[in-house]
């Protein structure tokens, strides 16, 4: 069954192909529809299959024409108009536009001039020096394309966490409802909350493996069965592969530890076990300290743990290590010394200081966004619409006059509510690191988020200097989505996270974990590097509509991958503490 993300993907492809064909206006409408489809809180396909087409009228930007295409896709698995467009422009548009600086228009021009349809075609043309011969291109552009081919290939094989995890939750809900299932849990990279996943791994503890496998492959959401057997099965749901493995209940804990990974963590943990006369595998923890080897040099030993995952660590006299930390970045040493962090939880978050409204490129009013924040139980909430600047989507940034007008509107809303509403702005960081706000605007605002939106192809040294200048600006409270990356779409800026963290700590500027699942920027290792230098973190949703305030889930787990504790996060602090942090 088609997921919201899959349906949204079709309209994003529509928009890209239309733009590649130099069609105006329509691509923007399709992109807006795709964004709202992706963020819709309920599965659209389920409702359409039940002939409940009212769901389509609920989605902003989805009119009759787009509604008809959604119904066509859900019912047939394709859209005739999209197939015709693909035939006219046989470009692997999603792959090619993952190259930094190659958008749909560029892809269309390269197709018309050089007949480039695939990444292989693009790489061959770049290697041959053909791209620089096209009007508007040059050696620098050609070199950039050549250098980013590998990135485009790699990310094309993985799905966003925000697409995979909701499906994984559905799988777990289904399996947990089966009488034969005693325990079930996701494993692999999705349990470690990595930003992208290859597939979804699910583990079940049961004494009736055949029955569970049969029910799994017959699940109504399954589009196709890849393979199945007595102990495991693989299916495809939409565009995502789901792998099920069944084990006996007494081996569930050891199997969960083993299949969660990461590989590097498991290797380090097994070596740690060996040094203490223990052996770990997917079947349990075994004490081999007093046993001689058998004829083949193996020491099977006495099984001392394996029913629960916590037992596996306890057998090594270690506390349980949260899955987000299992990346071999010092977590085993920290566990041994009693220095594991008390990780932030979703319940610790008290507010969100980077969100948008219809004043710039958001979809709803200030009042509607504040209503949603109040419903989430927040103590405070920040509106930070875009200021004018290069790279701001659709040129929808606010002028100084408009910012000051919005501040007055926010003050009126704040005065009428129990929740504290901050007047903020998302300023653009230009190529040199300046934010370009007037003193009058700076003085009027409660919080200034400064983010890069253009010039994202700078080298690491230049990018680091640029971001440092923004962090050191006394007006800046939060450095927003520091790399500017879009996962699986563009790599964004490379920079020295340690140096950035040190400067952020020195100048009381928070570094953002942008919770949009297409960004997750900062990411785990960068968060850890920044926190190690004493920097504060802000976890924001960058929400453009009420439903996307729920993106906070992705940001919290990303921060946990960076060893973040509540005290590290400015929006886990009380209102008074946050006010004290803001300049």
């Amino acid at each position: 069954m088609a997921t919201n993300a899959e349906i949204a993907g079709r309209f994003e492809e529509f928009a890209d192909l239309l733009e590649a064909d130099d069609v105006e206006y329509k691509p923007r409408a399709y992109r807006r529809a795709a964004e709202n489809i992706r963020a819709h809180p309920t599965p659209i396909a389920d409702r359409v299959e039940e002939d409940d087409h009212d769901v389509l009228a609920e989605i902003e930007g989805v009119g009759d024409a787009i509604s008809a295409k959604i119904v066509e896709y859900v019912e047939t698995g394709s859209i005739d108009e999209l197939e015709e467009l693909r035939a006219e422009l046989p470009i692997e548009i999603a792959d090619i536009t993952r190259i930094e600086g190659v958008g749909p228009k560029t892809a269309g021009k390269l197709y018309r001039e050089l007949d480039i349809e695939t990444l292989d075609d693009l790489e061959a043309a770049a290697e041959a020096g053909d791209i620089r011969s096209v009007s508007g291109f040059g050696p620098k552009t050609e070199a950039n394309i050549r250098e980013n081919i590998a990135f485009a290939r790699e990310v094309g094989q993985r799905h966003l966490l925000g697409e995979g995890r909701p499906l994984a939750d559905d799988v777990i809900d289904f399996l947990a409802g089966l009488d034969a299932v005693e325990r079930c849990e996701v494993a692999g990279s999705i349990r470690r909350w990595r930003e992208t996943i290859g597939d979804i791994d699910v583990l079940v503890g049961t004494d009736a493996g055949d029955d569970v496998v049969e029910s799994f492959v017959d699940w109504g959401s399954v589009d196709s069965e890849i393979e199945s057997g007595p102990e495991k099965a693989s299916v495809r749901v939409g565009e995502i592969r789901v792998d099920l493995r069944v084990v006996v209940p007494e081996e569930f804990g050891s199997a969960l530890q083993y299949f969660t990974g990461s590989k590097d963590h498991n290797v380090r943990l097994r070596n740690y076990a060996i040094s203490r006369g223990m052996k770990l595998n997917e079947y349990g923890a075994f004490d081999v300290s007093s046993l001689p080897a058998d004829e083949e040099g193996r020491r099977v030993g006495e099984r001392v743990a394996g029913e629960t995952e916590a037992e596996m660590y306890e057998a090594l006299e270690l506390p349980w290590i949260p899955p987000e930390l299992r990346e071999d970045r010092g977590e085993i040493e920290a566990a041994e010394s009693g220095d594991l962090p008390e990780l932030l939880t979703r319940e610790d978050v008290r507010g969100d200081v980077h969100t948008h409204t219809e004043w710039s490129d958001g979809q709803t009013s200030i009042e509607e966004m504040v209503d949603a924040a109040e419903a989430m139980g927040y103590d405070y909430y920040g509106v930070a619409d875009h200021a004018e600047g290069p790279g701001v989507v659709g040129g929808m940034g606010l002028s100084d006059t408009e910012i000051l007008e919005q501040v007055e509107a926010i003050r009126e809303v704040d005065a009428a509510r129990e929740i504290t509403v901050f007047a903020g702005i998302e300023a653009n960081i230009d190529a040199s690191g300046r934010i370009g706000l007037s003193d009058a605007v700076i003085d009027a605002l409660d919080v200034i988020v400064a983010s890069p939106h253009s010039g994202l192809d700078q080298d690491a040294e230049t990018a680091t200097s640029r971001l440092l200048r923004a962090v050191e600006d006394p007006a800046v409270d939060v450095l927003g989505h520091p790399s500017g990356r879009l996962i699986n779409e563009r790599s964004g800026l490379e920079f020295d996270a340690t140096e950035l963290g040190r400067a952020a700590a020195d100048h009381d500027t928070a570094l953002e974990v942008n919770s949009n699942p297409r960004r997750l920027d900062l990411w785990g290792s960068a968060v850890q590097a920044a926190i190690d230098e004493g920097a504060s973190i802000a976890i924001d949703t960058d929400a453009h509509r009420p439903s996307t305030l729920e993106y906070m889930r992705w940001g919290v787990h990303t921060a946990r991958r960076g060893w973040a504790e509540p005290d590290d996060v400015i929006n886990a602090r009380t209102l008074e503490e946050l006010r004290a942090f803001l300049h």
Side-chain angles (χ1 to χ4, degrees):
M1 183 179 300
T3 63
N4 290 0
E6 182 182 341
I7 297 168
R10 298 293 79 77
F11 286 96
E12 286 164 347
E13 183 184 1
F14 238 130
D16 284 348
L17 288 173
L18 287 169
E19 189 174 337
D21 204 27
D22 290 330
V23 174
E24 296 184 4
Y25 308 119
K26 207 171 182 180
R28 184 173 178 179
Y30 278 16
R31 287 201 175 91
R32 184 180 182 190
E35 187 177 358
N36 293 336
I37 290 166
R38 189 182 297 275
H40 198 271
T42 61
I44 294 169
D46 286 352
R47 301 267 297 272
V48 171
E49 288 194 344
E50 294 168 1
D51 288 330
D52 180 7
H53 294 182
D54 290 345
V55 64
L56 303 178
E58 300 170 2
I59 305 172
E60 189 170 352
V62 174
D64 292 343
I66 292 178
S67 293
K69 290 179 175 64
I70 293 172
V71 173
E72 182 184 0
Y73 186 73
V74 171
E75 293 180 347
T76 69
S78 65
I79 303 171
D80 284 346
E81 189 176 330
L82 178 57
E83 295 301 326
E84 291 170 4
L85 196 53
R86 286 170 171 170
E88 292 172 13
L89 287 171
I91 308 170
E92 293 181 359
I93 196 77
D95 292 341
I96 290 175
T97 54
R98 289 190 184 103
I99 303 289
E100 181 68 35
V102 178
K105 285 186 178 294
T106 300
K109 187 171 186 178
L110 290 172
Y111 170 70
R112 287 186 291 271
E113 297 286 338
L114 299 175
D115 203 28
I116 290 173
E117 300 179 5
T118 68
L119 276 177
D120 288 342
D121 294 341
L122 188 63
E123 183 175 36
E127 294 290 348
D130 294 337
I131 291 175
R132 69 181 68 187
S133 67
V134 178
S135 175
F137 294 79
K140 184 177 179 180
T141 302
E142 187 174 69
N144 177 69
I145 289 172
R146 189 167 53 247
E147 291 166 4
N148 281 278
I149 290 285
F151 167 81
R153 285 205 173 97
E154 178 184 353
V155 301
Q157 306 303 312
R158 300 185 66 82
H159 304 280
L160 299 182
L161 173 67
E163 296 170 352
R165 185 74 202 205
L167 173 56
D169 294 342
D170 290 344
V171 175
I172 292 299
D173 287 345
F174 168 73
L175 291 170
L178 299 178
D179 292 338
V181 172
E182 294 190 23
R183 298 173 66 187
C184 61
E185 178 61 277
V186 294
S189 58
I190 203 164
R191 186 168 180 241
R192 303 197 313 276
W193 297 85
R194 280 196 61 185
E195 62 206 29
T196 62
I197 62 163
D199 49 34
I200 295 172
D201 297 309
V202 184
L203 186 70
V204 164
T206 179
D207 287 317
D210 288 342
D211 293 342
V212 172
V213 168
E214 182 178 354
S215 297
F216 174 66
V217 297
D218 288 340
W219 181 35
S221 294
V222 170
D223 290 308
S224 61
E225 176 185 334
I226 299 171
E227 60 181 345
S228 63
E231 298 179 347
K232 58 185 178 180
S234 297
V235 301
R236 197 167 297 282
V237 180
E239 298 177 342
I240 301 179
R241 174 175 172 140
V242 184
D243 294 329
L244 169 72
R245 183 177 295 267
V246 295
V247 299
V248 293
E250 55 267 29
E251 294 175 355
F252 183 84
S254 52
L256 183 60
Q257 193 285 319
Y258 180 85
F259 289 112
T260 293
S262 67
K263 180 181 177 181
D264 291 340
H265 173 84
N266 284 355
V267 168
R268 178 84 62 173
L269 192 67
R270 285 199 298 271
N271 289 336
Y272 184 90
I274 289 168
S275 69
R276 285 154 181 78
M278 300 289 292
K279 177 181 177 181
L280 301 185
N281 58 33
E282 63 189 279
Y283 305 107
F286 300 84
D287 184 347
V288 297
S289 59
S290 59
L291 293 179
D294 63 16
E295 293 180 356
E296 297 181 7
R298 297 174 303 186
R299 294 191 297 170
V300 177
E302 177 188 0
R303 187 175 186 269
V304 296
E307 186 170 348
T308 70
E309 191 179 55
E311 289 178 359
M312 297 292 288
Y313 290 94
E314 289 169 4
L316 303 177
E317 299 182 345
L318 295 175
W320 178 78
I321 298 176
E324 295 97 327
L325 301 186
R326 301 181 198 174
E327 300 291 349
D328 192 25
R329 294 204 306 262
E331 68 275 9
I332 294 173
E333 294 82 355
E336 183 181 24
S337 62
D339 293 326
L340 281 176
E342 294 290 333
L343 294 179
L344 174 86
T345 69
R346 177 66 183 82
E347 290 71 29
D348 292 320
V349 176
R350 297 170 179 262
D352 191 338
V353 299
H354 176 186
T355 68
H356 296 270
T357 75
E358 62 190 6
W359 280 68
S360 64
D361 62 336
Q363 303 297 315
T364 55
S365 66
I366 297 170
E367 291 82 359
E368 288 173 290
M369 294 299 288
V370 173
D371 286 343
E374 285 186 318
M376 296 181 76
Y378 283 159
D379 297 332
Y380 44 79
Y381 175 78
V383 174
D385 274 315
H386 287 286
E388 291 177 329
V392 176
V393 176
M396 300 179 72
L398 304 181
S399 66
D400 281 7
T401 299
E402 291 168 326
I403 293 170
L404 294 174
E405 290 174 357
Q406 190 191 45
V407 170
E408 292 182 11
I410 291 171
R411 300 292 182 224
E412 291 179 7
V413 174
D414 176 52
R417 305 296 185 107
E418 291 189 13
I419 188 174
T420 296
V421 185
F422 292 122
I425 202 71
E426 183 180 11
N428 182 67
I429 301 172
D430 71 15
S432 67
R434 294 185 177 89
I435 62 170
L437 296 178
S438 69
D439 289 343
V441 165
I442 291 171
D443 290 342
L445 294 168
D446 301 314
V447 55
I448 295 175
V449 180
S451 310
H453 295 97
S454 61
L456 302 179
D457 56 351
Q458 292 175 319
D459 63 74
E461 183 178 353
T462 303
T464 300
S465 297
R466 171 189 184 182
L467 296 178
L468 287 174
R469 182 168 189 171
V471 162
E472 292 166 359
D473 188 322
V476 174
D477 300 296
V478 178
L479 181 67
H481 52 72
S483 80
R485 74 176 184 176
L486 291 175
I487 301 172
N488 286 358
E489 297 178 45
R490 69 184 184 213
S491 54
L493 297 171
E494 294 183 11
F495 54 84
D496 186 329
T498 296
E499 191 174 354
L500 196 64
R502 189 179 305 124
D506 289 343
H507 293 270
D508 285 336
T509 301
L511 303 181
E512 184 180 70
V513 173
N514 189 295
S515 303
N516 186 315
R518 303 175 84 172
R519 289 191 184 275
L520 299 183
D521 179 11
L522 297 170
W523 48 92
S525 60
V527 171
Q528 187 177 7
I531 287 175
D532 285 347
E533 296 301 319
S536 294
I537 301 299
I539 306 175
D540 299 317
T541 60
D542 201 356
H544 285 61
R545 66 184 60 78
S547 63
T548 52
L549 289 174
E550 297 292 346
Y551 285 168
M552 187 62 70
R553 180 190 193 192
W554 317 123
V556 165
H557 282 284
T558 298
R560 284 168 62 93
R561 283 178 58 79
W563 298 49
E565 298 182 296
D567 288 347
D568 298 317
V569 179
I570 65 169
N571 50 313
R573 299 174 188 172
T574 66
L575 175 61
E576 292 73 22
E577 289 170 334
L578 179 59
R579 285 193 190 279
F581 178 85
L582 298 175
H583 300 105

